[in-house]
Amino acid sequence: MSNPFYITTPIYYVNDVPHIGHVYTSIASDMLARFARMEGRDVLFLTGTDEHGQKIQKAADAEGIDPKTFVDRVSEGFKSLTPLCHLSNDQFIRTTEERHLKSAQALWLKMQERGFIYKGQYAGWYAVRDEAFYAESELVNGKAPTGAEVEWVEESSYFFKLSAFQEPLLAFYRENPDFIGPKGRKNEVMRFVEGGLNDLSISRSSFKWGVQIPEDSDHVMYVWVDALANYITALDYPDENASNFKKFWPEALHIIGKDILRFHAIYWPAFLMAAGLTPPKRLYAHGWWTNEGQKISKSLGNTIDPIELIETYGVDQIRYFLLREIPFGQDGDFSRAALEQRINSDLANDFGNLAQRVLSFVYKNAEAKVPTPTSLEAQDKALLIEAQELLPRLRENFEKQELHRMIEAIWELVGAANRYVDAEQPWALKKTNPERMATVLYVLLEILRHLAFYIFPVMPQTSMKLLHLLGISTPPLCFKDLQETSLPSGGSLPQPEGLFPRIEKERK
Ligand code: MSP
């Protein structure tokens, strides 16, 4: 296998249970990982949990238990997202693992050896919720610009010479114009860096829950140094000759939320450069969900529980909705009405109905077998070509992480296929021209086969079900097979089943 693809989610703070924001990032990354695997690429998909820092220590203190017991419990909830959301991550990393402690310390030592770390005294503002330092000038009405409470911190601290990286970072952004997506975010980062960078406090000495600084047991590492290092720990850093490190670094695509862009776009490449390593290939920052028009927050009590949603509506329905409802990269609103509307119209009516009417017609009127086509007419060829030409469009959108556009393009084919059924009327051909009926049905089954492949990254379970209904059992799916094979005529088809139940409107 060639063409490595390394995709990561942020590692999630374990101060609380998973919510829709976490699930969103993970599902989006999963869609990209699955698509890349179907391209025959060598994929490593990483997710995990961020388990150190003051925020976690406080959450454990509030429950009166030691932090390790606390993180062991909460991280299980995040781990269970993998089966719950049908994530295909290859690794789940925890920052409390031994391999990570070693890696974070090695990164630190490298930065120190190369002269980018010095000891000093920090006096300034810190927001525990964001695990971030803020300059006085950044505060808005005495709070962090994110709205988080800040506290005054004065302690002995190690500093990272971030100021030395202003020019190298700007040069890096210029030389790698695709480093940050979507495009608007890149400008935001560049403006910030152009404004000047202060050295960064990268250790804390007023609490203990963190990775110990090599050779100084009074300090723990600032949680963002520790957290960002996870992306290379998973590749067996500090062994730079490890096969995964050599294969996947710097081929990384970090999917993140817009709130943590600064850490990934500024600190992370600077840390890597300081350690003599290459920055990752690309970051993509997605937007934030509101809930029925309101900002989602624990204090408002309006967090959305992904487990309840998936149990109520189904995992593929939720995956579809999250990826389709808002353009990836922009903010958007979650509402039950919008979710139910999409399930009924896009899934049940458009997609489900197409599959159902074709499959049940073949089952009842073509002896439950894939018919044998005769000569293809222009409209048959046009539809088949449309299905084949969808792949290059999907590839283009994939490169830019335009996930919503990938789905929109697939639904254009669904629409075209539905119009073809209406125009060709196989039910009328049954008496008048059974040969033509066989051809029309064959074309439609081929379209369903293409659709089953194309929806796999978004809705893996439905894809598998549809392939089964088409008499195909070929996991793992790859686009090469899609292109090089076609449905064998004469193959038996099982009794059709609906793909998406409608949501009835009576609930108020
Ligand atoms: N631990 C850090 C990341 C370290 S990565 C080296 C962290 N964790 S987090 O649990 O707070 O957030 C993880 C992700 O969830 C972020 O990408 C964030 O953008 C995302 N979301 C949190 N709330 C969200 C919404 N309401 N909507 C969409 N995504 C949001 O940050």
Side-chain angles (χ1 to χ4, degrees):
M1 261 192 277
S2 60
N3 206 353
F5 182 67
Y6 181 33
I7 179 153
T8 66
T9 73
I11 46 171
Y12 304 115
Y13 284 130
V14 288
N15 60 313
D16 204 359
V17 293
H19 63 65
I20 199 78
H22 307 123
V23 162
Y24 181 52
T25 316
S26 289
I27 289 176
S29 308
D30 186 60
M31 174 176 173
L32 293 162
R34 286 177 186 272
F35 189 91
R37 284 193 201 99
M38 290 179 79
E39 293 278 42
R41 294 178 71 172
D42 196 350
V43 174
L44 202 165
F45 171 23
L46 173 71
T47 187
T49 41
D50 190 351
E51 306 191 358
H52 290 128
Q54 209 173 355
K55 170 148 104 171
I56 311 292
Q57 164 130 37
K58 278 195 168 173
D61 290 350
E63 285 201 18
I65 50 179
D66 73 284
K68 182 67 170 80
T69 312
F70 178 77
V71 299
D72 282 348
R73 189 193 74 212
V74 185
S75 68
E76 281 305 310
F78 284 91
K79 222 172 184 172
S80 70
L81 292 182
T82 294
L84 179 79
C85 303
H86 295 175
L87 305 177
S88 61
N89 52 291
D90 301 289
Q91 279 193 43
F92 185 94
I93 192 169
R94 298 181 55 190
T95 54
T96 48
E97 285 172 56
E98 193 56 38
R99 60 169 175 160
H100 180 67
L101 309 184
K102 278 199 201 129
S103 158
Q105 290 183 333
L107 179 69
W108 176 287
L109 280 176
K110 259 279 150 59
M111 299 195 292
Q112 195 168 38
E113 269 164 34
R114 291 166 52 95
F116 294 105
I117 293 180
Y118 62 91
K119 202 169 179 181
Q121 181 74 18
Y122 180 76
W125 297 103
Y126 193 77
V128 176
R129 195 183 82 189
D130 301 345
E131 294 286 17
F133 299 95
Y134 290 104
E136 180 86 39
S137 58
E138 287 179 285
L139 301 190
V140 181
N141 301 327
K143 289 191 174 179
T146 56
E149 300 289 342
V150 289
E151 59 189 37
W152 185 254
V153 171
E154 270 190 51
E155 60 190 355
S156 151
S157 172
Y158 287 88
F159 284 84
F160 174 70
K161 282 190 191 166
L162 186 60
S163 56
F165 288 91
Q166 181 178 13
E167 277 316 313
L169 282 169
L170 290 171
F172 176 74
Y173 304 143
R174 278 193 293 270
E175 283 156 23
N176 298 276
D178 295 327
F179 175 55
I180 303 172
K183 281 214 156 47
R185 298 275 169 214
K186 180 186 150 194
N187 302 335
E188 186 184 310
V189 168
M190 286 192 74
R191 271 196 306 275
F192 185 85
V193 176
E194 278 157 3
L197 295 173
N198 296 324
D199 288 352
L200 180 70
S201 163
I202 52 164
S203 77
R204 304 290 314 271
S205 51
S206 51
F207 65 92
K208 288 271 165 246
W209 185 238
V211 180
Q212 200 191 302
I213 297 306
E215 293 151 25
D216 189 342
S217 57
D218 290 340
H219 287 253
V220 292
M221 223 174 263
Y222 170 39
V223 67
W224 271 100
V225 181
D226 157 3
L228 288 161
N230 94 88
Y231 299 131
I232 51 176
T233 303
L235 304 180
D236 301 325
Y237 184 81
D239 180 0
E240 293 181 38
N241 288 315
S243 61
N244 272 351
F245 191 85
K246 279 177 35 193
K247 191 194 299 176
F248 292 111
W249 198 263
E251 271 314 304
L253 168 60
H254 298 312
I255 302 293
I256 56 173
K258 63 178 185 178
D259 53 316
I260 53 176
L261 181 60
R262 195 184 288 187
F263 303 97
H264 283 81
I266 302 173
Y267 299 173
W268 183 222
F271 295 159
L272 289 164
M273 288 178 192
L277 297 170
T278 313
K281 188 166 169 193
R282 183 162 160 91
L283 313 172
Y284 193 92
H286 66 67
W288 268 49
W289 289 89
T290 49
N291 183 4
E292 313 274 348
Q294 264 193 327
K295 186 174 171 310
I296 300 178
S297 90
K298 238 194 339 181
S299 52
L300 288 173
N302 67 346
T303 52
I304 302 171
D305 174 8
I307 303 177
E308 185 270 324
L309 273 185
I310 287 173
E311 279 169 0
T312 310
Y313 295 100
V315 59
D316 278 359
Q317 285 84 341
I318 296 302
R319 288 176 62 109
Y320 176 83
F321 177 77
L322 293 178
L323 299 175
R324 172 69 184 80
E325 181 68 4
I326 57 174
F328 198 55
Q330 292 177 27
D331 294 337
D333 187 44
F334 180 92
S335 79
R336 298 248 167 188
L339 169 63
E340 295 184 359
Q341 161 74 19
R342 288 243 176 241
I343 292 176
N344 282 345
S345 78
D346 302 10
L347 298 182
N349 286 357
D350 297 346
F351 197 105
N353 218 7
L354 172 70
Q356 184 64 20
R357 57 185 181 157
V358 173
L359 291 168
S360 52
F361 192 85
V362 172
Y363 193 77
K364 290 194 200 120
N365 302 291
E367 300 168 357
K369 289 203 171 83
V370 178
T372 307
T374 47
S375 64
L376 294 179
E377 292 186 8
Q379 65 274 32
D380 308 334
K381 287 185 193 150
L383 188 61
L384 289 169
I385 288 173
E386 187 172 339
Q388 287 150 11
E389 287 184 347
L390 189 49
L391 186 55
R393 283 179 67 189
L394 297 179
R395 285 180 171 143
E396 243 175 70
N397 299 143
F398 168 87
E399 289 303 327
K400 296 188 226 154
Q401 291 79 46
E402 293 178 332
L403 308 186
H404 56 290
R405 283 202 208 280
M406 293 171 83
I407 301 177
E408 275 165 22
I410 299 170
W411 255 252
E412 281 176 30
L413 180 61
V414 172
N418 271 319
R419 287 193 296 280
Y420 175 87
V421 180
D422 295 341
E424 299 305 317
Q425 305 195 335
W427 52 91
L429 293 170
K430 194 183 166 200
K431 287 211 178 81
T432 57
N433 191 348
E435 266 197 5
R436 174 74 193 137
M437 176 189 84
T439 303
V440 167
L441 293 176
Y442 185 84
V443 169
L444 284 164
L445 290 173
E446 260 297 282
I447 298 301
L448 287 180
R449 186 176 74 96
H450 278 79
L451 287 170
F453 275 70
Y454 292 144
I455 62 164
F456 180 74
V458 187
M459 296 187 287
Q461 192 172 44
T462 306
S463 160
M464 287 293 145
K465 189 166 172 188
L466 181 53
L467 287 167
H468 164 75
L469 296 177
L470 291 166
I472 305 172
S473 57
T474 58
L477 297 183
C478 70
F479 290 126
K480 194 160 173 284
D481 285 347
L482 173 67
Q483 289 174 313
E484 290 178 1
T485 59
S486 50
L487 266 182
S489 295
S492 311
L493 302 184
Q495 177 148 21
E497 282 167 52
L499 294 179
F500 301 106
R502 284 183 66 81
I503 313 264
E504 297 310 335
K505 280 282 171 224
E506 81 261 9
R507 29 148 103 226
K508 275 233 154 185

